[in-house]
Structure formats: structure tokens, C-alpha cells
């Protein structure tokens, strides 16, 4: 049975709570709880955390973009681990998770987020945002996309585009959302790891760039945010 014809929800009645290819206003953990095991081809996860704000204290939370950022509900380590455990359950075997992190969490280590789970960390992409950000020493202009895979570990047959560079330059305007992510990169990754009509999950959708990427690549989006 092709993956996109597998049941998406645990129960048929659950489909009434969440729409496909739409902006759903819902806690991402509630959405994941509705999904059937092994029903998702690929997942994107951009957790909202305060690490860089709490540790470095730049003092810029009074400006407009800082106010928008600090006003978003935050996830602690337990919250993030719960998301990762749920995503692990619903991903099909050898499916990929694309996890966004900043330099602070990359240096501190994300190991505790994955503790006691079966994830395999298989790659990482550096997103060059082409604009300078904050920093006491070097100025930040990059974010990092950790690539994890649900066992069994393999690339042949589940990752078909081998021309994607591990440093990707793409400018993104953040006027619509303070954590907007690169549409072009996400489209390439979706096309590399899924087939048309496969389900792509984003349980913390933010700007819904993954929804747009799915629309433009003819994949099915299932996702939500606590704001729409």
C-alpha cells in the first residue's frame, strides 16, 4: 500500500478535529496524538525556546521584533522531548525529521532532547540567512537544521536529491513571523525525501512556510500552531 494511502488518523472521527492542507489552531502535541503510527513521511519541527534570550540577555526585547519573539509561548526541554517522542511514533520507518536549532543550542548540545529515543542523527544543514544578527563576539547570520532519521538508517531510496549543499543561502523576510524559515530549502528537502501526496508534518507551524512548500510540491500538509 503506498504511504499516502495509509490511514492518517488513529480513528476516522479524529479527522474532524484537524484539516489537511490547512492552518489548524491547536497545540501540536494534541495533533500528534491524533495521528496513526508510521503515517507521516517527513516532519519539520521548529521549537520555540528562550535559551538565547535567557543566557545572553541582549536587552533588545523592547523593540518590536523582540517583543514579538518574547511574546510567543516557550517550550522547555520536557516539552521539546515530548514533541520528539510523538514525532518518532508517527514517522514511517526511515522517515526524516528536520529540526531547527540556533547556535546556542547547537553548542550547548541537543542530546538531552533525544534521550532514551531511537533517533539517528544523520546530517546537518547550515542556513545562511544573508543578514547579520546579534552576538557579543561573532555576529549571528546562520541557523542550523539537524537531520534525524527513524531507524532503519538508510539513504538509498529515501533521499533522492544528492545535490543539496550543506550550507544554504536564502534571504527570508520576517515581517509576517519572527521565526520565518527558508521556503526554497524546505521545498528541496521535501522533494528529496517524499513522493507526491505523501504527508508532511509540522506541529509548530509558525509562519506556515512548510504548508506553502507542500502546496508548491504537491504534498499533503498536516500541521498546526497555537496561533493561526
Amino acid at each position: 500500500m503506498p504511504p499516502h494511502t495509509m490511514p492518517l488518523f488513529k480513528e476516522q472521527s479524529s479527522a474532524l478535529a484537524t484539516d489537511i492542507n490547512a492552518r489548524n489552531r491547536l497545540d501540536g502535541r494534541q495533533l500528534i496524538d491524533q495521528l496513526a503510527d508510521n503515517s507521516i513521511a517527513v516532519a519539520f519541527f521548529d521549537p520555540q525556546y528562550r535559551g538565547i534570550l535567557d543566557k545572553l540577555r541582549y536587552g533588545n526585547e523592547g523593540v518590536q521584533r523582540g517583543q514579538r519573539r518574547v511574546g510567543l509561548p516557550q517550550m522547555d526541554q520536557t516539552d521539546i522531548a515530548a514533541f520528539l517522542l510523538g514525532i518518532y511514533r508517527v514517522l514511517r520507518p526511515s522517515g526524516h525529521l528536520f529540526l531547527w536549532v540556533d547556535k546556542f543550542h547547537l553548542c550547548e548540545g541537543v542530546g538531552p532532547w533525544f534521550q532514551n529515543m531511537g533517533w539517528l542523527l544523520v546530517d546537518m544543514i547550515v542556513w545562511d540567512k544573508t543578514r547579520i544578527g546579534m552576538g557579543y563576539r561573532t555576529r549571528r547570520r546562520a541557523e542550523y537544521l539537524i537531520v534525524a532519521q527513524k531507524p532503519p538508517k538508510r539513504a538509498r531510496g529515501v533521499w533522492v536529491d544528492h545535490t543539496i549543499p550543506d550550507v544554504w543561502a536564502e534571504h527570508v523576510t520576517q515581517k509576517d513571523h519572527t521565526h520565518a524559515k527558508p521556503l526554497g530549502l524546505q521545498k528541496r528537502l521535501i522533494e528529496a525525501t517524499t513522493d507526491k501526496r505523501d504527508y508532511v508534518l509540522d506541529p509548530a507551524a509558525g509562519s506556515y512556510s512548510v504548508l506553502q512548500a507542500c502546496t508548491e510540491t504537491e504534498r499533503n500538509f498536516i500541521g498546526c500552531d497555537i496561533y493561526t
Side-chain angles (χ1 to χ4, degrees):
M1 182 181 293
H4 58 262
T5 63
M6 299 284 287
L8 177 61
F9 294 97
K10 290 179 180 177
E11 300 176 1
Q12 190 61 35
S13 60
S14 297
L16 300 175
T18 309
D19 293 325
I20 306 300
N21 300 319
R23 295 175 174 234
N24 296 287
R25 187 171 183 175
L26 188 68
D27 184 294
R29 287 164 294 187
Q30 294 176 315
L31 183 148
I32 292 170
D33 285 345
Q34 298 178 38
L35 300 178
D37 294 358
N38 307 317
S39 60
I40 298 297
V42 155
F44 288 82
F45 184 37
D46 182 16
Q48 176 62 29
Y49 37 63
R50 281 193 56 88
I52 194 78
L53 293 174
D54 286 338
K55 298 293 184 180
L56 300 185
R57 301 184 183 279
Y58 287 109
N60 69 338
E61 294 181 2
V63 301
Q64 184 177 8
R65 191 160 67 92
Q67 287 178 333
R68 291 168 59 195
R69 181 173 57 225
V70 75
L72 295 172
Q74 306 297 311
M75 300 178 189
D76 61 20
Q77 182 171 299
T78 301
D79 294 328
I80 293 171
F83 270 95
L84 293 175
L85 185 61
I87 293 170
Y88 186 88
R89 178 183 65 79
V90 301
L91 265 187
R92 68 191 185 193
S94 298
H96 289 89
L97 163 68
F98 298 107
L99 173 68
W100 288 104
V101 297
D102 59 16
K103 182 191 288 188
F104 173 79
H105 286 89
L106 186 68
C107 293
E108 285 285 301
V110 297
W113 295 359
F114 292 93
Q115 192 169 6
N116 300 321
M117 301 183 206
W119 288 110
L120 305 168
L121 303 186
V122 295
D123 210 334
M124 187 180 75
I125 298 170
V126 179
W127 170 33
D128 177 0
K129 298 189 284 188
T130 73
R131 59 181 177 82
I132 297 294
M134 301 178 296
Y136 283 134
R137 296 175 181 84
T138 59
R139 302 291 296 275
R140 289 161 173 77
R141 62 176 269 170
E143 288 188 35
Y144 306 88
L145 191 60
I146 293 174
V147 183
Q149 187 174 35
K150 183 174 179 176
K153 181 180 179 180
R154 65 190 181 100
R156 180 176 297 180
V158 297
W159 190 298
V160 299
D161 184 350
H162 302 290
T163 65
I164 300 173
D166 65 359
V167 178
W168 180 279
E170 183 175 343
H171 179 74
V172 172
T173 177
Q174 296 196 338
K175 65 180 181 180
D176 295 324
H177 194 276
T178 188
H179 292 301
K181 293 299 186 285
L183 177 64
L185 174 58
Q186 292 174 133
K187 287 171 61 177
R188 286 285 297 275
L189 293 172
I190 288 170
E191 290 176 324
T193 57
T194 66
D195 295 319
K196 290 183 178 180
R197 295 185 291 161
D198 276 346
Y199 291 109
V200 176
L201 171 66
D202 186 353
S207 66
Y208 283 90
S209 58
V210 174
L211 170 58
Q212 183 178 349
C214 287
T215 299
E216 295 183 12
T217 58
E218 299 181 60
R219 271 65 171 175
N220 284 310
F221 172 84
I222 179 71
C224 66
D225 203 271
I226 53 174
Y227 301 115
T228 55

